[in-house]
């Protein structure tokens, strides 16, 4: 499964290191994290990381394969 997670603001290099399995791109005041997600546990882990780092998730969606 491939997912895209959009968070408010531009993520620093240090914060991006918390998501080594995802690629990122910055656009229009947001950071878009995207990549393969193994299963639901992995997805919930990514969301928990966002929350623990104080990131505001604007949108999350499953991408076509």
């Amino acid at each position: 499964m491939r997912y895209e997670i959009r968070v408010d603001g531009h993520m620093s290099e240090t914060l991006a290191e918390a998501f080594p399995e995802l690629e990122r791109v910055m656009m229009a005041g947001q950071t878009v994290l995207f990549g393969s997600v193994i299963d639901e546990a992995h997805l919930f882990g990514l969301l928990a990381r966002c929350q623990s780092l104080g990131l505001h998730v604007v949108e999350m969606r499953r991408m076509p394969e």
Side-chain angles (χ1 to χ4, degrees):
M1 300 179 289
R2 291 187 53 79
Y3 274 84
E4 175 183 285
I5 302 171
R6 290 179 179 261
V7 297
D8 266 341
H10 289 177
M11 190 180 292
S12 70
E13 284 293 324
T14 304
L15 279 176
E17 289 174 6
F19 301 92
E21 68 269 64
L22 299 177
E23 295 183 54
R24 73 182 161 101
V25 66
M26 294 183 226
M27 51 197 301
Q30 295 180 338
T31 301
V32 181
L33 302 169
F34 58 95
S36 294
V37 175
I38 300 167
D39 55 20
E40 281 189 12
H42 185 203
L43 179 62
F44 290 132
L46 291 170
L47 293 174
R49 258 185 269 170
C50 287
Q51 183 178 23
S52 70
L53 293 169
L55 301 173
H56 179 249
V57 176
V58 176
E59 180 182 6
M60 178 191 74
R61 64 184 177 137
R62 188 170 177 182
M63 306 293 289
E65 293 296 328

